[in-house]
Amino acid sequence: MENIILTSSPTTPYFPEVSFDIDKGICEIRGESYMEETYKFYLPLINWIKDYIKLIKKPLVLDIKLIYLNTSSTKCVLDILEILKDYEDDSGQVKVNWYYDKSDPDMIDEVEDFEAESGIKIELKEF
Amino acid sequence: MTSKTILSYKGPFYIELISVFGTNIRNFNDTYSNARKKLFKIFIELSQNVSNYSENFHMVNNVQRIGVGELFLKELDTAYCFTTINQVKRTDAEILAERCEIVNASDQMKLRELKREQRLNSPGEKFGARIGLIQAVMLSKNQLEYKVENINENFSYFSLTVKIDKY
């Protein structure tokens, strides 16, 4: 297993920055997410988390710092949260932090929906 | 009532174009910042519907399918009005019209329920979450206006307008 580091580019602002670090046990997704073929982008991230749970079996923190994600991306994020919820139910240590811009109240509703749909606790934090 | 066209476009809905248009809409001035945040989200969502589902499309390198359609963004005294138009199968136009009616008949709480239900039951992968229309109404708190214009026995133009209040 290797870390995943994806940097952003001003020419493709619809791809988020990604940092998934095995040693730290921290997964961070930052920026905006509204690319085409969303699932193709998120599938390696989903597989990384599945592998981490299967092979590393240590605590995992997910930090989401997305100022915008389209509805296709929300489906992929929900998939990730469901995997983490299963890990937690299986005695894994998981923490999910969602950073939001306080001038964007719609994001708080979105996070509440993610909590309800996945069943995992999400800590809301202001940027 | 004054009405000013901010943007109009007809052609393939490439992500690069959608992104540049959307970013400019969000950042073009400092006024009505909350409305413009909502407008940006609705703009991206509905434009990507055209890109993904229009029956008139371009093929890029024989692999990638990019939907062709039209968009119009107008600024009124108290609101922004965003319209997309694209070609759909006549049978799909009926389904879309029915979805718009369901969404328009739902209050915010019901919309939230529909959104959760639809997202959980979506097959995912290339199908996305299938909640774009619901999201547009939840964000704007205004009903969808739609129009169907038949082209021939197989296809129609489907036009969708969302109003985003400035205040």
Side-chain angles (χ1 to χ4, degrees), chain B residues 92-107:
Chain B
D92 289 343
E94 286 168 23
I95 295 167
L96 278 169
E98 201 177 309
R99 278 193 195 162
C100 289
E101 291 295 337
I102 292 170
V103 169
N104 283 344
S106 304
D107 60 17

Side-chain angles (χ1 to χ4, degrees), chain A residues 13-14 32 34 36 39 68 70-72 74-75 78 82 103-104 106 109-110 112-113 116-117, chain B residues 15 19 26 37-38 40-41 44-45 48 64 66 112 115-116 119-120 122 125 129 131 135 139:
Chain A
Y14 34 85
E32 300 194 281
Y34 57 98
E36 292 168 327
Y39 206 76
Y68 171 65
N70 67 356
T71 57
S72 292
T74 67
K75 176 69 182 164
L78 182 61
E82 285 172 341
S103 66
D104 184 10
D106 295 320
D109 293 342
E110 192 69 68
E112 283 175 5
D113 287 342
E117 286 170 58
Chain B
I15 182 65
S19 176
R26 187 166 51 179
K37 275 179 194 152
K38 288 176 188 286
F40 170 79
K41 294 173 184 179
I44 297 291
E45 205 63 51
Q48 289 193 310
Q64 202 181 2
I66 305 291
R112 220 162 162 180
K115 180 180 157 185
R116 288 177 182 177
R119 184 158 57 189
L120 276 174
S122 152
E125 301 200 10
I131 53 175
Q135 188 77 346
L139 287 168

Side-chain angles (χ1 to χ4, degrees), chain A residues 91-108:
Chain A
S91 305
Q93 276 187 36
V94 177
K95 183 153 181 54
V96 181
N97 300 308
W98 196 298
Y99 294 78
Y100 74 102
D101 176 356
K102 68 176 176 186
S103 66
D104 184 10
D106 295 320
M107 189 59 97
I108 298 173

Side-chain angles (χ1 to χ4, degrees), chain A residues 5-58:
Chain A
I5 305 286
L6 303 174
T7 52
S8 70
S9 156
T11 55
T12 55
Y14 34 85
F15 286 107
E17 287 185 351
V18 175
S19 167
F20 280 21
D21 189 305
I22 299 167
D23 293 334
K24 291 181 184 164
I26 298 177
C27 301
E28 185 178 298
I29 306 174
R30 171 199 288 268
E32 300 194 281
S33 178
Y34 57 98
M35 71 292 290
E36 292 168 327
E37 301 188 296
T38 315
Y39 206 76
K40 271 192 190 167
F41 177 83
Y42 278 92
L43 189 59
L45 308 186
I46 289 170
N47 287 336
W48 189 97
I49 291 173
K50 284 179 177 171
D51 287 346
Y52 183 94
I53 290 169
K54 196 172 150 192
L55 305 171
I56 311 292
K57 299 174 187 168
K58 285 188 176 170

